[in-house]
C-alpha cells in the first residue's frame, strides 16, 4: 500500500523549462505490419486473423475499412525511411508480419518475397544510421494457427518459438533490439472480448489461456535467442507491455488499486520481471476463488508448473513499456456488475475505473492526459522489479482531426517527454522513447477514423502521400537537439519539410497417429456365398438402431442450450438456404414417438448421443442445464420402461462453439474439458446407462472437419487433423479412466469408442504393402493406440509421417508423438470394439502424374494412394459407397487377429439413397446381406454381440442435408409434425429382431 503513497509524495510539479536528454538516449517512432504494410495478398503472403475478420465482417470497423492497402508501406518503405531521417530518429520500431514471412504459419515454407521485403527495410534503415527495433508479433496471427485455437492453444508456444528462430536466423546479424510480442494484454483481453481479432467472446476462459500461452511463447523465443543467437550477435530481447497507470480514487481504494495493477500489468509482467516469478499471488487467489464459486473444475487462470515458472522468469533484457493514459480505481461491491473491461472496470475484481476531472480529456472518454502518471509508473517499475533499463515503446495521442496543426499531440508529446526527462534525472534508467505512431494508419476497429500519426497520410490518394504535422516538426527538433523546451506550444515550425497539400475525407476506437493386412482366404474359403441354412442370431445378440443429437433433436436454441459448431456453421451466410438441424426431426419434442418406433422395430438397444451444448450450455462443467437433464432423463427412462437398453454416445460431432473458439480438438486442453463433461454425464445417467461410447468416429471429425467436409469446416489437412487425432484419443482415454475408477465399481457398465473403419483390399498383389499402410493410416491412427498390446502410433505410420515432415521442412513430426505416460494412459481403454462399417475399397499406388482423389474416400496425397471399387460390387447412390458385405466379415476377423478384442459391437451400418420411397428394397437387401456376414462371423467363433442400424429415421445427414436418406423410417420434413413412416426395411428389420432369423417372405405393407 505504501508504494502508491510514496510515489505520490515523490513526484511534484516541475517548473523547469528545458531538459537535456543523455547522449545515449534513443528517439524513435513506431508502426505495425498490418496497420501500415498493405499488400495483404501480394506474392505468397498468408492470411492473417485480421484479413479473415475484416473480409468477413467489414461492418465491425467504424468506417468499413481494412488494412488491405493501409499506408502501402510494402511498396513505400523507402518513403517511411525518409520520414524517419527527416525527424532525426535514432530508431524505428516496426513489426514483421508472421504470415508474410511464413505463409502457412509454420517454418516449412519461408517466403522469399517476405525475406526480401524485410531485408530491404532493415538494410535501408541501417544505411541511414537508424537502428531497427523489430517486433516479432503485433496482433496479426496467421489464420491457420487461429484455426488451431491460436493463443488459447498451449502448442502455440512452440509454433511461435519456431517462427522466432526463423526471424532471428534471417535478421539477427543486423537487428540488435527485439520485442517478442506487442501488448499481450491487447491480444488476450481485447481478442477474447470481441474488441479485436480473433473477435471471440470468451473473457471467462479464453483470455486466461491466452495470457499464460503468450508468456510461455515469449519465454521460449527469448531462450532461443539467448542460447543460440546472443553469443553471436549480442542483442537484447524483451516483451512489450501495455500498462495503464492506476491510482486510487480515495484512500479506501488503495488495496483494490493494487489489485487492478496486478490484474492489468501483473498478469503479463510479474511472471517475467519479478524475482519469484509466477502469477501475482493475491490476484491468483482471487481468481481461484472466483473459479470455485462459479463451479469450474479447474482454475480459469491456468497455474504455472514449477518448470514453467523457471522457464518464464527473467526472460528480459529491459522493460518495454507502452503507456498512454492513467485511470482512477474505486471498489465496487464484490461480483456486482462493474463497468466494461479493460478500460472502464472489472466485474471479475469488483472495481470501476474513472477519471480525475482535473485531467485533460482526449476524444476518448477513457483516455485522459496525465503525464505525471507515466513518471509515477516508471518509479513503480524500478521499485517493484528493480529493472535496469526501461524503453518506452509506445506513447501518443489519439485525435480525429486529419489536419497538420496538431497542437494537442505536440503538447502531449512535450509533456510526457518532460516527465521522462525528470524521471531520468531522478535515477530511473530510461534509455529510449518511441512515439506512436510514425504516420496515420489503420487503427484496428476504428479504421482510419482516428489519428495517432506524426505524419498525416492521405488515404484518398493512391500514392498515400505522407505530410509532417507540427508534432513531427516538434518531435524532430527534440530528437536532433536532445533538448526539450517545455515553454514551446504555438506557432512552431522546427524543421523545414516540403509542404504538400492534402485533401482529407471526414472519416470512434479500440487499440489494442505396423499393423499388417491378414489374408483370410484360407481361414474362411468357401464361406462367402449366400447362406443356405437359416442361421439364427443368439439370444444374447442385441439389435438396435442409432441416431445423433444434432441430426434429430432440433430445438437448437430451446431453453438455455448453447451454440454448437454445427449451429455456427450452418447459420453462416455462406450456407444460407442450406438445410440445418435447427428443427431436424424435432426429437427434442417427439422423443416419445422415437421410443414408439424403437418398440415397433423390436429393438434391444437404442443408440443416441447427448448434445454437449444442451447439457453444458457453455461447454464447461460449471453450468449444467436443468432442461438438458430433464430431456435425457425422460428419454432414458422412457426407453427403459419399454425394455430397451440405452446405448449412449457422449460426443457425436456437435462440439460447443465456445470450445472450438479455443482450438477445439486441436487444443491439448480439450482432453480435460471432455473428461469433465463425461464425468457430468456419468454422474447424471450412469445408474441407468450400461453401455457407453465416448466419441463417435473421431476419424470423421478430424479427417473431414479439417478438410472442409464438415464442421468446423477448416482447411488444414497437414497439421490440424493429426493434432485432433491425438487429442481425441487422449480425451477418450481420460473419460474411460474416469468411468473405470469412479463409476464402474457402482454401475458395472462398459465403455468404448466408435471407430469408422472402411475395409481395404489390395487392387493387385503388388499393392499389398500400400494397403497395409492405408489400414494403419485410417484405422490404426485411431484404433492402434487403444486396442494394440504395444500402444502408441502404428510404427509404420509414425515413421512415414516423421520422415515426410522432416523432408517438408517442419521442425517436428506433424503427427504429434505420445509420451510414455500418454501411451500408458490410452492403451487398453476399451471394454469392446465399437465398429461403424459401411463399405470397402480397393487400394493401389497412385500412378506418376495422376491426380489423386480426395481423402478420405477417394485417395490420399499424404500416402500417395488411390481408392477404387471392384466392378463386381453393387453400387449405391454415392460412387464411393459400394456394397461388399464380405468386407465386414473380413474386417471382423482382422480385428480379432490384430488386436485380440474379446467383443465387437457393430455400432453403425446402413444404406444410403436419395429416394424418399417406402419400398426401399436396396436398404432391405443391404441389411440382410451384412447381417448374414455377421452371422457367419459369429459361427466362425467371433464374439460379435450386437448390430445397430444407421439410422432409425431420415435425418440431417450433415452437409448432405435432408436429400440423403439412411432411415428405416421415412420422415416428412415438409410436415411440421415430422411424421415418421416405416419403410420396407423397417418391416424386414423388425421381423429379424423378433425371430432372430434373416429369412422372411415379403408380406405386403401390413406391419407385423
Amino acid at each position: 500500500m505504501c508504494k502508491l503513497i510514496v510515489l505520490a509524495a515523490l513526484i511534484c510539479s516541475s517548473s523547469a523549462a528545458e531538459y537535456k536528454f543523455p547522449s545515449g538516449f534513443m528517439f524513435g517512432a513506431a508502426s505495425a505490419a498490418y496497420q501500415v504494410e498493405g499488400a495483404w495478398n501480394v506474392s505468397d503472403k498468408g492470411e492473417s486473423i485480421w484479413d479473415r475478420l475484416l473480409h468477413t465482417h467489414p461492418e465491425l470497423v467504424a468506417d468499413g475499412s481494412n488494412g488491405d492497402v493501409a499506408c502501402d508501406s510494402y511498396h513505400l518503405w523507402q518513403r517511411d525511411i525518409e520520414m524517419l531521417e527527416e525527424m532525426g530518429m535514432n530508431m524505428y520500431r516496426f513489426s514483421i508480419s508472421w504470415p508474410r514471412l511464413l505463409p502457412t504459419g509454420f517454418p516449412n515454407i519461408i517466403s522469399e518475397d517476405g525475406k526480401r521485403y524485410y531485408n530491404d527495410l532493415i538494410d535501408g534503415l541501417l544505411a541511414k544510421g537508424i537502428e531497427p527495433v523489430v517486433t516479432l508479433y503485433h496482433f496479426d496471427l496467421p489464420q491457420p494457427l487461429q484455426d488451431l485455437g491460436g493463443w488459447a492453444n498451449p502448442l502455440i508456444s512452440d509454433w511461435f518459438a519456431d517462427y522466432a528462430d526463423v526471424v532471428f536466423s534471417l535478421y539477427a546479424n543486423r537487428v540488435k533490439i527485439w520485442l517478442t510480442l506487442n501488448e499481450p494484454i491487447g491480444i488476450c483481453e481485447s481478442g477474447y472480448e470481441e474488441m479485436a481479432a480473433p473477435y471471440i467472446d470468451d473473457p471467462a476462459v479464453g483470455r486466461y489461456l491466452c495470457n499464460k500461452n503468450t508468456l510461455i511463447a515469449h519465454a521460449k523465443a527469448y531462450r532461443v535467442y539467448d542460447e543460440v543467437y546472443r553469443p553471436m550477435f549480442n542483442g537484447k530481447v524483451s516483451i512489450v507491455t501495455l500498462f495503464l497507470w492506476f491510482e486510487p480514487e480515495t484512500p479506501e481504494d488503495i488495496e483494490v488499486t493494487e489489485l487492478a495493477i496486478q490484474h492489468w500489468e501483473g498478469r503479463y509482467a510479474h511472471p517475467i520481471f519479478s524475482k519469484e516469478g509466477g502469477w501475482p499471488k493475491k490476484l491468483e487467489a482471487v481468481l481461484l476463488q472466483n473459479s470455485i464459486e462459479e463451479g469450474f473444475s479447474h482454475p480459469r487462470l491456468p497455474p504455472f508448473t514449477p518448470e514453467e515458472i523457471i522457464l518464464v522468469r527473467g526472460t528480459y533484457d529491459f522493460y518495454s513499456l507502452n503507456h498512454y493514459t492513467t485511470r482512477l480505481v474505486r471498489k465496487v461491491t464484490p461480483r456486482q456488475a462493474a463497468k466494461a473491461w479493460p478500460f472502464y472496470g472489472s466485474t471479475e475484481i469488483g472495481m470501476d475505473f474513472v477519471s480525475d476531472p482535473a485531467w485533460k480529456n482526449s476524444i476518448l472518454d477513457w483516455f485522459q492526459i496525465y503525464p505525471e502518471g507515466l513518471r509515477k509508473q516508471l518509479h513503480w517499475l524500478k521499485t517493484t522489479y528493480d529493472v535496469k533499463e526501461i524503453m518506452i515503446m509506445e506513447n501518443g495521442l489519439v485525435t480525429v482531426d486529419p489536419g497538420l496543426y496538431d497542437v494537442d499531440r505536440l503538447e502531449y508529446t512535450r509533456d510526457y517527454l518532460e516527465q521522462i526527462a525528470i524521471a531520468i534525472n531522478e535515477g530511473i534508467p530510461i534509455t529510449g522513447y518511441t512515439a506512436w505512431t510514425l504516420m496515420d494508419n489503420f487503427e484496428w476497429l476504428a479504421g482510419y477514423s482516428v489519428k495517432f500519426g506524426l505524419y498525416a497520410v492521405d488515404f484518398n490518394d493512391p500514392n498515400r502521400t505522407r505530410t509532417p504535422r507540427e508534432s513531427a516538426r516538434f518531435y524532430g527538433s527534440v530528437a536532433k537537439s536532445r533538448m526539450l523546451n517545455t515553454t514551446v506550444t504555438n506557432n512552431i515550425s522546427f524543421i523545414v519539410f516540403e509542404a504538400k497539400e492534402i485533401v482529407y475525407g471526414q472519416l470512434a476506437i479500440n487499440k489494442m497417429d505396423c499393423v499388417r493386412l491378414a489374408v483370410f482366404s484360407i481361414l474362411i474359403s468357401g464361406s462367402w456365398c449366400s447362406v443356405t441354412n437359416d442361421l439364427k442370431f443368439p439370444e444374447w445378440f442385441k439389435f438396435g438402431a442409432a441416431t445423433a443429437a444434432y441430426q434429430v433433436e432440433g430445438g437448437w436454441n430451446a431453453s438455455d442450450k448453447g451454440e454448437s459448431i454445427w449451429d455456427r456453421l450452418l447459420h453462416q451466410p455462406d450456407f444460407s438456404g442450406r438445410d440445418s438441424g435447427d428443427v431436424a426431426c424435432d426429437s427434442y419434442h417427439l422423443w416419445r414417438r422415437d421410443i414408439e418406433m424403437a418398440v415397433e422395430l423390436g429393438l434391444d438397444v437404442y443408440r443416441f448421443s447427448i448434445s454437449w451444448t444442451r447439457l453444458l450450455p457453455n461447454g464447461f462443467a460449471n453450468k449444467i442445464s436443468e432442461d438438458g437433464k430433464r430431456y435425457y432423463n425422460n428419454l432414458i427412462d422412457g426407453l427403459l420402461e419399454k425394455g430397451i437398453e440405452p446405448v449412449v454416445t457422449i460426443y457425436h460431432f456437435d462440439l460447443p462453439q465456445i470450445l472450438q473458439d479455443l482450438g477445439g480438438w486441436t487444443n491439448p486442453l480439450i482432453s480435460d474439458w471432455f473428461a469433465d463433461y463425461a464425468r457430468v454425464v456419468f454422474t447424471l445417467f450412469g445408474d441407468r446407462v450400461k453401455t457407453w461410447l465416448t466419441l463417435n468416429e473421431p476419424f470423421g471429425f478430424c479427417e473431414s472437419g479439417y478438410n472442409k467436409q464438415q464442421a468446423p469446416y477448416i482447411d488444414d489437412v497437414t497439421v490440424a487433423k493429426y493434432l485432433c487425432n491425438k487429442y481425441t484419443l487422449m480425451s477418450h482415454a481420460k473419460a474411460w479412466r474416469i468411468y473405470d475408477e469412479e463409476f464402474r465399481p457402482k454401475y458395472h457398465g462398459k465403455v468404448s469408442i466408435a471407430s469408422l473403419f472402411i475395409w481395404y483390399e489390395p487392387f493387385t498383389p503388388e499393392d499389398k504393402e500400400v494397403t497395409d499402410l492405408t489400414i494403419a493410416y485410417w484405422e490404426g491412427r485411431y484404433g492402434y493406440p487403444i486396442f494394440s498390446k504395444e500402444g502408441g502410433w502404428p510404427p509404420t505410420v509414425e515413421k512415414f509421417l516423421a520422415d515426410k515432415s522432416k523432408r517438408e521442412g517442419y521442425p517436428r513430426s506433424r503427427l504429434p508423438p505420445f509420451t510414455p505416460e500418454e501411451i500408458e494412459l490410452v492403451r487398453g481403454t476399451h471394454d469392446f470394439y465399437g465398429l461403424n462399417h459401411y463399405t470397402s475399397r480397393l487400394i493401389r499406388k497412385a500412378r506418376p502424374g495422376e491426380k489423386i482423389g480426395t481423402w478420405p474416400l477417394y485417395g490420399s496425397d499424404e500416402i500417395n494412394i488411390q481408392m477404387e471399387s471392384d466392378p463386381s460390387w453393387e453400387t449405391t447412390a454415392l460412387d464411393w459407397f459400394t456394397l461388399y458385405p464380405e468386407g465386414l466379415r473380413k474386417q471382423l476377423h482382422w480385428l480379432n487377429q490384430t488386436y485380440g478384442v474379446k467383443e465387437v459391437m457393430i455400432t453403425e451400418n446402413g444404406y444410403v439413397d436419395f429416394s424418399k420411397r417406402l419400398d426401399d428394397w436396396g436398404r432391405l437387401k443391404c441389411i440382410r446381406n451384412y447381417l448374414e456376414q455377421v452371422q457367419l462371423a459369429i459361427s466362425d467363433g467371433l464374439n460379435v454381440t450386437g448390430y445397430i442400424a444407421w439410422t432409425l429415421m431420415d435425418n440431417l445427414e450433415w452437409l448432405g442435408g435432408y436429400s440423403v436418406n439412411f432411415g428405416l423410417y421415412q420422415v416428412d420434413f415438409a410436415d411440421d409434425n415430422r411424421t415418421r413412416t416405416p419403410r420396407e426395411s423397417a418391416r424386414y428389420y423388425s421381423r429379424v429382431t423378433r425371430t432372430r432369423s434373416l429369412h422372411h417372405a415379403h408380406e405386403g405393407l401390413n406391419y407385423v
Side-chain angles (χ1 to χ4, degrees):
M1 284 189 220
C2 296
K3 291 179 186 173
L4 295 169
I5 299 170
V6 168
L7 288 176
L10 172 67
I11 298 176
C12 56
S13 298
S14 172
S15 59
E18 195 167 76
Y19 300 92
K20 179 77 173 176
F21 285 90
S23 59
F25 190 88
M26 300 175 71
F27 292 95
S31 69
Y34 183 79
Q35 295 181 267
V36 302
E37 286 182 2
W40 81 275
N41 62 349
V42 165
S43 186
D44 55 350
K45 179 185 174 292
E47 184 185 28
S48 78
I49 55 175
W50 280 96
D51 296 325
R52 173 69 61 86
L53 178 66
L54 300 188
H55 292 160
T56 53
H57 293 286
E59 75 281 359
L60 295 176
V61 183
D63 56 8
S65 63
N66 58 45
D68 286 2
V69 179
C71 305
D72 201 20
S73 288
Y74 175 82
H75 296 104
L76 302 177
W77 58 271
Q78 291 163 312
R79 174 62 183 134
D80 297 346
I81 295 174
E82 286 179 0
M83 293 149 59
L84 294 159
E85 188 178 24
E86 289 166 356
M87 289 191 296
M89 296 291 97
N90 309 115
M91 61 183 177
Y92 177 43
R93 179 188 168 202
F94 65 92
S95 75
I96 290 180
S97 165
W98 191 340
R100 191 178 299 285
L101 191 62
L102 302 184
T104 67
F106 297 98
N108 63 308
I109 298 176
I110 302 174
S111 169
E112 290 299 321
D113 183 70
K115 285 168 57 177
R116 174 201 57 76
Y117 174 68
Y118 295 112
N119 271 321
D120 287 347
L121 180 55
I122 291 167
D123 291 343
L125 290 166
L126 292 172
K128 298 296 184 180
I130 301 169
E131 180 157 358
V133 176
V134 175
T135 309
L136 297 179
Y137 180 77
H138 199 126
F139 301 172
D140 50 348
L141 190 70
Q143 184 63 41
L145 302 189
Q146 184 58 47
D147 289 341
L148 302 179
W151 293 105
N153 189 329
L155 298 176
I156 200 168
S157 63
D158 288 328
W159 304 334
F160 183 73
D162 294 339
Y163 162 57
D165 194 13
V166 170
V167 177
F168 295 149
S169 71
L170 294 173
Y171 309 119
N173 60 334
R174 288 158 290 163
V175 176
K176 305 302 179 184
I177 303 176
W178 294 94
L179 301 165
T180 56
L181 302 169
N182 181 74
E183 297 179 3
I185 190 172
I187 300 167
C188 301
E189 311 299 311
S190 297
Y192 290 88
E193 284 251 21
E194 291 190 319
M195 297 189 293
Y199 208 76
I200 290 170
D201 182 17
D202 186 9
V205 175
R207 66 169 170 170
Y208 293 116
L209 296 177
C210 176
N211 188 167
K212 177 179 178 181
N213 295 333
T214 54
L215 295 173
I216 300 291
H218 154 78
K220 288 185 177 181
Y222 179 93
R223 300 295 181 189
V224 168
Y225 189 90
D226 194 50
E227 296 167 9
V228 179
Y229 297 95
R230 193 189 304 277
M232 295 187 286
F233 304 122
N234 200 34
K236 55 187 179 182
V237 183
S238 194
I239 189 171
V240 187
T241 301
L242 175 64
F243 185 4
L244 302 190
W245 179 240
F246 294 103
E247 297 188 357
E249 185 181 41
T250 70
E252 288 74 28
D253 297 310
I254 290 175
E255 185 174 354
V256 73
T257 302
E258 290 184 336
L259 202 55
I261 292 174
Q262 288 187 18
H263 194 44
W264 184 293
E265 191 271 353
R267 279 195 289 120
Y268 292 92
H270 188 274
I272 298 171
F273 296 95
S274 70
K275 291 181 173 59
E276 59 273 21
W279 301 120
K281 295 301 182 184
K282 183 180 292 187
L283 180 67
E284 186 174 28
V286 169
L287 295 179
L288 175 60
Q289 186 60 38
N290 289 349
S291 299
I292 292 171
E293 291 175 359
E294 293 160 354
F296 284 90
S297 56
H298 309 280
R300 291 188 286 109
L301 182 68
F304 288 105
T305 66
E307 295 80 10
E308 289 170 336
I309 291 174
I310 293 170
L311 173 69
V312 176
R313 187 177 61 203
T315 53
Y316 70 95
D317 300 314
F318 58 97
Y319 192 106
S320 178
L321 172 65
N322 289 0
H323 174 97
Y324 287 91
T325 189
T326 300
R327 303 291 271 152
L328 298 181
V329 182
R330 67 180 176 206
K331 186 176 183 179
V332 297
T333 302
R335 312 303 293 154
Q336 84 176 55
K339 296 177 182 177
W341 178 261
F343 299 113
Y344 299 96
S346 169
T347 301
E348 184 86 80
I349 304 303
M351 59 188 178
D352 282 341
F353 303 151
V354 296
S355 300
D356 190 315
W359 299 345
K360 185 177 178 181
N361 294 318
S362 75
I363 63 166
L364 302 177
D365 57 359
W366 59 266
F367 192 144
Q368 279 72 42
I369 301 168
Y370 179 55
E372 293 85 349
L374 171 57
R375 184 165 153 224
K376 294 178 181 181
Q377 188 177 57
L378 293 166
H379 277 275
W380 185 92
L381 290 172
K382 181 72 171 80
T383 302
T384 302
Y385 299 133
D386 193 27
V387 290
K388 306 304 181 185
E389 179 183 359
I390 300 171
M391 296 186 75
I392 296 167
M393 283 301 177
E394 286 183 27
N395 178 245
L397 181 68
V398 58
T399 64
V400 292
D401 185 359
L404 302 181
Y405 192 66
D406 58 337
V407 174
D408 286 346
R409 181 173 292 107
L410 186 157
E411 292 178 344
Y412 178 97
T413 303
R414 179 201 65 198
D415 294 347
Y416 278 84
L417 279 171
E418 178 182 20
Q419 295 300 315
I420 292 168
I422 296 171
I424 292 172
N425 290 336
E426 293 167 345
I428 306 300
I430 310 161
T431 61
Y433 174 89
T434 306
W436 184 268
T437 177
L438 176 60
M439 57 191 152
D440 293 340
N441 57 39
F442 181 77
E443 280 294 338
W444 310 116
L445 294 187
Y448 302 105
S449 65
V450 299
K451 317 294 179 182
F452 276 90
L454 296 167
Y455 279 65
V457 177
D458 184 355
F459 294 103
N460 294 316
D461 180 357
N463 296 318
R464 296 301 194 267
T465 304
R466 291 116 153 99
T467 306
R469 291 190 168 105
E470 288 298 324
S471 57
R473 303 178 188 279
F474 168 74
Y475 184 49
S477 71
V478 175
K480 289 183 174 182
S481 68
R482 317 195 77 73
M483 296 294 296
L484 176 67
N485 189 326
T486 63
T487 62
V488 177
T489 302
N490 299 317
N491 300 319
I492 56 173
S493 185
F494 295 95
I495 314 170
V496 179
F497 293 161
E498 179 183 354
K500 298 181 187 292
E501 182 176 342
I502 303 178
V503 179
Y504 295 90
Q506 276 301 336
L507 293 175
I509 174 174
N510 203 342
K511 260 192 101 156
M512 321 247 108
D513 174 3
C514 158
V515 295
R516 294 168 50 196
L517 177 63
V519 178
F520 302 111
S521 57
I522 298 175
L523 172 67
I524 50 181
S525 61
S527 300
W528 304 104
C529 56
S530 297
V531 177
T532 57
N533 297 315
D534 186 10
L535 295 176
K536 290 199 171 187
F537 287 92
E539 289 301 317
W540 44 258
F541 189 87
K542 296 179 179 180
F543 292 98
T547 61
Y550 184 76
Q551 296 180 267
V552 301
E553 284 182 3
W556 80 275
N557 61 351
S559 187
D560 55 351
K561 179 184 174 294
E563 183 187 27
S564 78
I565 55 174
W566 279 97
D567 296 324
R568 173 69 61 86
L569 179 67
L570 297 183
H571 291 161
Q572 289 180 358
D574 288 350
F575 288 85
S576 178
R578 298 277 290 266
D579 294 332
S580 77
D582 288 1
V583 180
C585 305
D586 201 21
S587 289
Y588 176 76
H589 297 103
L590 301 177
W591 57 271
R592 294 179 181 85
R593 175 62 183 132
D594 296 347
I595 295 175
E596 285 179 1
M597 292 151 59
V599 172
E600 290 167 359
L601 289 170
L603 300 186
D604 303 299
V605 299
Y606 175 46
R607 178 186 169 200
F608 65 92
S609 74
I610 290 178
S611 165
W612 193 335
T613 53
R614 194 176 301 284
L615 192 61
L616 303 183
N618 66 5
F620 296 99
N622 65 307
K623 179 182 178 182
I624 302 174
S625 168
E626 290 299 319
D627 182 72
K629 284 168 58 176
R630 175 199 56 76
Y631 173 70
Y632 294 112
N633 273 320
N634 286 340
L635 180 55
I636 291 167
D637 291 342
L639 289 165
L640 292 171
E641 286 173 7
K642 298 298 184 178
I644 300 170
E645 179 183 340
V647 174
V648 175
T649 309
I650 299 176
Y651 178 78
H652 197 130
F653 300 178
D654 49 348
L655 190 70
Q657 181 62 43
I658 194 169
L659 302 188
Q660 183 60 44
D661 290 340
L662 302 178
W665 293 104
T666 66
N667 189 324
L669 298 175
I670 199 167
S671 63
D672 290 326
W673 305 333
F674 181 74
D676 291 340
Y677 164 51
R679 180 179 280 109
V680 171
V681 174
F682 294 147
T683 300
L684 294 173
F685 313 120
D687 58 334
R688 289 155 291 161
V689 177
K690 304 304 179 183
T691 306
W692 297 94
L693 296 164
T694 56
L695 304 170
N696 181 73
E697 297 180 2
F699 180 98
F701 56 85
C702 295
E703 309 297 313
S704 297
Y706 291 93
N707 200 14
K708 295 187 80 171
Q709 296 168 340
Q710 62 165 268
Y713 207 73
I714 289 170
D715 185 13
D716 183 359
V717 297
T718 56
V719 174
K721 70 175 182 178
Y722 296 117
L723 297 176
C724 178
N725 188 167
K726 177 177 178 179
Y727 300 128
T728 54
L729 295 172
M730 296 290 292
S731 298
H732 156 77
K734 289 185 178 181
W736 192 93
R737 299 290 181 190
I738 286 172
Y739 188 88
D740 193 52
E741 296 167 8
E742 300 177 23
F743 298 92
R744 193 189 303 276
K746 293 185 290 186
Y747 302 131
H748 312 290
K750 54 187 179 181
V751 183
S752 195
I753 190 170
S755 295
L756 175 64
F757 186 3
I758 290 179
W759 178 241
Y760 293 113
E761 297 189 357
F763 187 76
T764 69
E766 289 74 24
D767 297 308
K768 181 183 181 301
E769 184 177 351
V770 75
T771 304
D772 289 344
L773 180 62
T774 304
I775 292 177
Y777 188 65
W778 180 300
E779 191 280 343
R781 284 193 288 120
Y782 295 89
Y784 192 92
I786 297 171
F787 296 96
S788 71
K789 293 180 174 62
E790 300 83 4
W793 300 120
T796 52
V797 172
E798 186 168 33
K799 183 179 187 305
F800 179 91
L801 290 173
D803 292 346
K804 193 166 189 279
S805 299
K806 185 176 181 179
R807 291 195 304 272
E808 293 165 341
Y810 287 91
R812 59 190 65 84
S813 178
R814 292 184 282 113
L815 182 67
F818 286 106
T819 66
E821 294 79 10
E822 290 171 337
I823 289 174
E824 290 304 310
L825 175 69
V826 176
R827 184 174 60 190
T829 54
H830 65 93
D831 299 312
F832 58 95
Y833 193 106
L835 172 63
N836 292 0
H837 173 98
Y838 287 92
T839 189
S840 299
R841 303 287 271 157
L842 298 181
I843 302 298
R844 64 171 173 82
K845 292 180 182 179
R847 302 181 182 105
E850 179 181 21
K851 181 176 173 59
I852 297 175
T854 305
W855 178 257
L857 300 173
Y858 297 96
S860 169
D861 282 307
E862 186 82 274
I863 59 175
N864 195 39
I865 55 104
Q866 288 282 38
M867 300 178 187
E868 296 191 5
S869 297
D870 189 311
S872 68
W873 297 347
E874 185 178 347
T875 60
T876 69
L878 301 176
D879 57 355
W880 59 268
F881 195 142
T882 49
L883 303 181
Y884 180 53
E886 293 88 345
L888 172 56
R889 185 172 167 206
K890 292 180 180 182
Q891 191 175 58
L892 291 168
H893 277 277
W894 184 92
L895 289 171
N896 181 63
Q897 179 166 317
T898 304
Y899 297 137
V901 291
K902 304 305 181 185
E903 178 185 354
V904 179
M905 178 181 288
I906 297 170
T907 44
E908 286 184 27
N909 175 246
Y911 178 89
V912 60
D913 62 22
F914 296 134
S915 172
K916 303 293 183 183
R917 296 167 62 103
L918 298 180
D919 53 341
D920 59 335
W921 306 114
R923 180 172 294 107
L924 186 157
K925 181 181 177 183
C926 174
I927 293 172
R928 182 194 66 202
N929 290 344
Y930 277 86
L931 277 172
E932 182 178 78
Q933 295 300 319
V934 175
Q935 276 188 331
L936 289 170
I938 294 172
S939 66
D940 292 334
L942 303 181
N943 188 30
V944 187
T945 61
Y947 173 92
I948 299 176
W950 184 266
T951 174
L952 177 63
M953 56 190 154
D954 295 340
N955 55 41
L956 182 87
E957 279 297 336
W958 311 114
L959 293 183
Y962 299 112
S963 65
V964 180
N965 304 298
F966 278 87
L968 295 167
Y969 279 66
Q970 177 209 75
V971 177
D972 184 354
F973 293 104
D975 180 355
D976 290 342
N977 295 320
R978 295 301 195 266
T979 303
R980 292 116 153 97
T981 305
R983 291 190 165 105
E984 285 300 316
S985 57
R987 302 177 189 280
Y988 171 76
Y989 191 49
S990 72
R991 298 181 186 113
V992 173
T993 64
R994 289 177 167 88
T995 65
R996 307 201 157 258
S997 170
L998 296 177
H999 294 277
H1000 300 277
H1002 177 54
E1003 298 180 17
L1005 293 179
N1006 293 319
Y1007 191 76
V1008 178

